[in-house]
């Protein structure tokens, strides 16, 4: 047993302390990576960091496994189970990587510097500085789209960051406890117990499903006196939810929601939000439009992505980005069009794919391969140069040196031939509540649509295998078992 523990200990700690690199090595290029999301972290995971002076900058000092974020809103999963500290990730790299917890406010592509600021709570003041780069990767993601609809920012909860999930979890219980408070009017109880979700994309659908589970499995048992008032409403502007999934899965989701008593309002566009109501316009079957008002206790806004100000600012500085709307237009090597030495990955890059975790992580992997190759190319080229110069000085060894040069040149030809980025879609998965999931999966070059309980088990195992680390995997499994056996934790 002791040997086993020692082995695990060795496995965990071996090679895990790269030498601290006090000063950047002047013989290497400085590679600055903005962000710690799917794109940036996938890049870091595969990057041979010894080839560059790598600096990671992000206001978030952890990687977040976003596919399980909706489960954090109800306590099915505890938030720390899906977070992995960036410093733990960096510690497993061969060469040391610098990390600054800060937000990038601007990139100057002419001076090749990134302006960053750190709103440190310890120091109190805002610390602002500049970081120069030779190569820059922008992987800052996107922010929540509100389309300028009045009241959204002030009154609704988003579902993008860990803080959003915590806020929702508190708010659900605030609504339930307030509704259960002494002498509440029936209308007020109804309002407080009405949970409204705007946006019928995967985020809105998964959250609505989780919420209904929470209600069915826990709230109903623990707060029975008001439980018949609990209601989840999903509002979607288009004629159906999950527009990116196949038709049969859309129908399956909508009928499951009906069984689960989740109200779906399609063809309903939200126009205004106040502290207690959502005002929308619904298009009826005969084409007429009608105004409807939904009083709510909790409002979750999940209408997709918008461009972050730092990305917008960079786009404005590059004339070739003039016609791009949804983010930084990149070429097939993920180079930001019209810029030098800047690449973009993930939701802030426009490469012709949907803004998903899957796309971002494949883009990150691609860049790691590209950068590793670039470094190897440079190393080989300098070896060839060196050998060619010795060729003149040591006439005796000519045959051997020439053979060596040839070998290096053959290697160079092979690695210089980097294929452009190609996204390989593995499929889409979404949890829809009551232990059912939908999946559009690519199988032997064909598409397979699956739904139901088995798909839910597939969803679980797929997400478990995708978790960042063994530690995350164990924590998530532990949370699932815990919430099943003991129920979710209702404390606020
Ligand atoms: P989304 O863009 O997929 O969906 C947003 C929905 O909101 C749209 O259907 C839109 O019609 C609707 N909408 C916009 N404005 C509205 C308004 N005023 N009133 C009513 N409805 C309105 O957004 P998302 O669900 O956050 O997903 C973002 C991206 O992340 C997508 O590419 C998605 O595929 C991906 N994602 C995937 C998964 C998964 O595969 N399980 C989970 C989450 C997110």
């Amino acid at each position: 047993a002791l040997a086993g523990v020692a082995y695990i200990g060795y496995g965990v700690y071996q090679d895990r302390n790269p030498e601290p690199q006090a000063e950047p090595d002047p013989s290497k290029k400085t590679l600055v990576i903005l962000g710690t999301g799917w794109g940036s972290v996938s890049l870091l995971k595969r990057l041979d960091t010894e080839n560059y002076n790598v600096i990671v900058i992000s206001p978030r000092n952890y990687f977040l496994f976003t596919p399980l974020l909706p489960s954090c809103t109800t306590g099915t999963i505890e938030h720390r189970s899906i977070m992995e500290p960036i410093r733990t990730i960096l510690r497993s790299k061969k060469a040391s990587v610098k990390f600054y917890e800060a937000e990038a406010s601007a990139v100057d592509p002419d001076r090749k510097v990134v302006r960053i600021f750190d709103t440190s709570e310890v120091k109190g003041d805002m610390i602002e500085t500049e970081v120069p780069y030779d190569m820059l990767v922008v992987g800052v993601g996107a922010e929540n789209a509100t389309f300028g609809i009045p009241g959204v920012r002030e009154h609704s909860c988003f579902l993008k960051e860990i803080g959003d999930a915590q806020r929702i979890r508190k708010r659900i219980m605030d609504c339930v406890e307030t509704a259960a408070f002494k002498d509440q009017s029936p209308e007020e109880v109804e309002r407080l117990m009405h949970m409204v979700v705007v946006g019928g994309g995967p985020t809105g659908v998964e959250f609505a499903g989780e919420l209904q589970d929470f209600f069915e499995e826990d709230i109903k048992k623990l707060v029975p006196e008001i439980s018949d008032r609990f209601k989840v409403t999903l509002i979607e502007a288009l004629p159906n939810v999950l527009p990116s999934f196949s038709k049969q899965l859309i129908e399956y989701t909508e009928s499951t929601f009906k069984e689960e008593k989740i109200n779906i309002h399609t063809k309903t566009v939200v126009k205004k939000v106040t502290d207690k109501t959502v005002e929308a316009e619904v298009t009826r079957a005969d084409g007429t439009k009608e105004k409807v008002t939904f009083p709510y206790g909790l409002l979750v806004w999940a209408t997709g992505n918008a461009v972050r100000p730092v990305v917008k600012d960079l786009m404005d500085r590059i004339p070739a980005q003039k016609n791009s709307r949804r983010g930084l237009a990149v070429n097939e090597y993920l180079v930001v069009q019209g810029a030098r030495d800047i690449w973009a990955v993930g939701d802030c890059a426009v490469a012709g794919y949907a803004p998903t975790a899957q796309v971002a992580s494949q883009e990150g992997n691609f860049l790691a391969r590209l950068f590793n190759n670039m470094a190897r190319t440079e190393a080989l080229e300098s070896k060839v140069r060196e050998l060619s110069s010795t060729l003149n000085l040591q006439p005796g060894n000519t045959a051997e040196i020439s053979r060596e040069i040839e070998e290096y040149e053959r290697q160079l030809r092979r690695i210089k031939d980097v294929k452009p980025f190609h996204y390989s879609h593995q499929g889409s998965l979404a949890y829809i509540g009551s232990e059912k999931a939908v999946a559009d999966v690519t199988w032997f070059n064909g598409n397979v649509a699956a739904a139901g309980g088995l798909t839910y088990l597939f969803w679980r195992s797929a997400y478990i295998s995708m978790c960042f680390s063994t530690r995350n995997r164990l924590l998530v499994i532990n949370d699932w078992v815990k919430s099943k056996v003991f129920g979710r934790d209702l404390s606020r």
Side-chain angles (χ1 to χ4, degrees):
L2 261 182
V5 171
Y7 176 76
I8 293 169
Y10 177 71
V12 170
Y13 286 106
Q14 68 169 344
D15 288 339
R16 282 210 144 202
N17 257 326
E19 285 292 305
Q21 184 188 314
E23 290 303 323
D25 180 342
S27 70
K28 294 177 189 171
K29 285 186 171 166
T30 297
L31 167 62
V32 173
I33 301 172
L34 301 182
T36 44
W38 281 96
S40 303
V41 168
S42 305
L43 159 63
L44 273 169
K45 217 173 166 182
R46 298 215 175 167
L47 182 73
D48 295 335
T49 49
E50 60 274 28
N51 296 327
Y52 301 96
N53 297 310
V54 185
I55 302 174
V56 180
I57 298 165
S58 172
R60 211 172 72 183
N61 82 341
Y62 54 87
F63 167 73
L64 176 64
F65 185 73
T66 45
L68 288 176
L69 192 59
S71 305
C72 287
T73 58
T74 58
T76 313
I77 287 176
E78 292 297 337
H79 63 278
R80 289 204 175 265
S81 306
I82 57 166
M83 294 158 73
E84 183 73 11
I86 191 72
R87 294 199 181 268
T88 316
I89 299 171
L90 298 183
R91 206 174 143 208
S92 63
K93 299 307 295 182
K94 254 203 192 129
S96 128
V97 174
K98 272 208 183 327
F99 173 72
Y100 299 132
E101 191 188 78
E103 199 169 319
S105 54
V107 174
D108 186 334
D110 300 323
R111 288 171 52 229
K112 293 183 97 173
V113 293
V114 184
R115 187 140 199 91
I116 63 170
F117 67 92
D118 166 31
T119 44
S120 160
E121 277 176 25
V122 188
K123 287 199 96 162
D125 329 315
M126 186 150 84
I127 310 163
E128 219 172 346
T129 182
E130 279 184 350
V131 178
Y133 66 83
D134 296 310
M135 295 158 71
L136 175 71
V137 176
V138 186
V140 297
E143 60 178 32
N144 295 284
T146 64
F147 308 105
I149 297 169
V152 174
R153 269 197 200 284
E154 298 85 317
H155 306 298
S156 53
C157 298
F158 297 118
L159 187 45
K160 203 174 230 334
E161 299 292 343
I162 211 73
D164 298 332
Q166 289 172 302
R167 208 165 303 127
I168 293 173
R169 191 172 171 185
K170 278 192 167 178
R171 176 89 188 199
I172 298 170
M173 285 322 297
D174 193 6
C175 288
V176 171
E177 298 297 4
T178 312
F181 190 71
K182 193 171 174 290
D183 301 334
Q184 293 294 308
S185 72
E187 299 79 49
E188 187 62 355
V189 173
E190 200 141 309
R191 179 184 75 79
L192 288 164
M193 295 293 273
H194 190 197
M195 314 282 151
V196 174
V197 185
V198 181
T203 307
V205 164
E206 290 194 314
F207 171 66
E210 293 278 354
L211 199 51
Q212 191 66 26
D213 282 359
F214 185 28
F215 167 67
E216 286 295 336
E217 292 164 17
D218 299 292
I219 298 177
K220 223 171 166 177
K221 282 182 218 149
L222 295 166
V223 203
E225 62 275 23
I226 48 162
S227 67
D228 59 333
R229 301 296 175 82
F230 190 88
K231 195 165 87 180
V232 179
T233 295
L234 181 64
I235 301 178
E236 166 58 52
L238 297 175
N240 53 268
V241 299
L242 291 183
S244 59
F245 282 67
S246 57
K247 194 165 171 279
Q248 67 201 94
L249 295 183
I250 292 172
E251 282 166 9
Y252 182 84
T253 306
E254 293 187 346
S255 73
T256 307
F257 271 20
K258 219 177 213 163
E259 281 166 29
E260 289 171 1
K261 301 201 180 62
I262 296 174
N263 305 290
I264 302 183
H265 290 261
T266 52
K267 294 188 187 166
T268 307
V269 185
V270 173
K271 300 278 186 186
K272 190 181 167 190
V273 170
T274 70
D275 59 342
K276 289 179 183 158
T277 59
V278 169
E279 293 172 21
E281 188 178 76
V282 54
T283 308
R284 300 283 176 215
D286 61 1
T288 55
K289 292 191 188 323
E290 198 182 308
K291 286 205 163 21
V292 274
T293 300
F294 302 89
Y296 69 85
L298 165 77
L299 172 63
V300 172
W301 193 264
T303 62
N305 291 344
V307 180
R308 283 198 195 280
V310 60
V311 173
K312 180 81 192 51
D313 176 73
L314 178 56
M315 287 162 68
D316 289 344
R317 291 171 192 243
I318 305 170
Q321 296 285 330
K322 204 175 70 195
N323 295 324
S324 186
R325 291 280 164 272
R326 284 174 301 112
L328 288 160
V330 293
N331 72 8
E332 69 273 33
Y333 289 91
L334 307 182
V335 176
V336 171
Q337 283 175 5
R340 277 185 65 127
D341 301 320
I342 307 180
W343 289 259
V345 287
D347 290 1
C348 64
V350 178
Y353 309 104
T356 66
Q358 216 179 127
V359 170
S361 68
Q362 288 185 26
E363 288 177 344
N365 291 341
F366 170 83
L367 272 198
R369 271 199 317 276
L370 185 75
F371 292 168
N372 293 346
N373 255 2
M374 280 162 64
R376 276 174 61 206
T377 308
E378 269 171 36
L380 282 171
E381 277 173 352
S382 87
K383 267 193 190 143
V384 170
R385 271 197 304 276
E386 206 178 295
L387 283 171
S388 306
S389 58
T390 44
L391 207 56
N392 305 330
L393 301 175
Q394 302 172 347
N397 285 339
T398 319
E400 200 182 314
I401 295 176
S402 303
R403 244 197 329 276
E404 238 180 291
I405 291 178
E406 249 172 56
E407 169 57 22
Y408 283 139
E409 280 179 339
R410 210 173 41 248
Q411 285 184 27
L412 260 173
R413 273 195 299 278
R414 212 177 52 234
I415 64 169
K416 263 188 167 167
D417 182 29
V418 183
K419 301 258 181 315
F421 173 69
H422 172 75
Y423 169 61
S424 140
H425 185 60
Q426 306 296 306
S428 309
L429 273 171
Y431 179 61
I432 58 171
S434 59
E435 307 203 336
K436 287 176 184 158
V438 290
D440 261 329
V441 193
T442 312
W443 199 277
F444 293 110
N445 290 334
N447 281 334
V448 180
L454 271 181
T455 312
Y456 169 62
L457 292 180
F458 174 67
W459 174 88
R460 277 202 160 181
S461 49
Y463 280 10
I464 275 292
S465 69
M466 280 158 62
C467 275
F468 188 86
S469 62
T470 309
R471 181 183 140 268
N472 285 153
R473 247 168 243 135
L474 293 176
L475 290 174
V476 167
I477 292 171
N478 179 51
D479 289 343
W480 274 335
V481 173
K482 202 174 67 184
S483 55
K484 194 86 204 156
V485 176
F486 302 108
R488 295 168 182 83
D489 184 345
L490 261 60
S491 44
R492 199 143 78 83

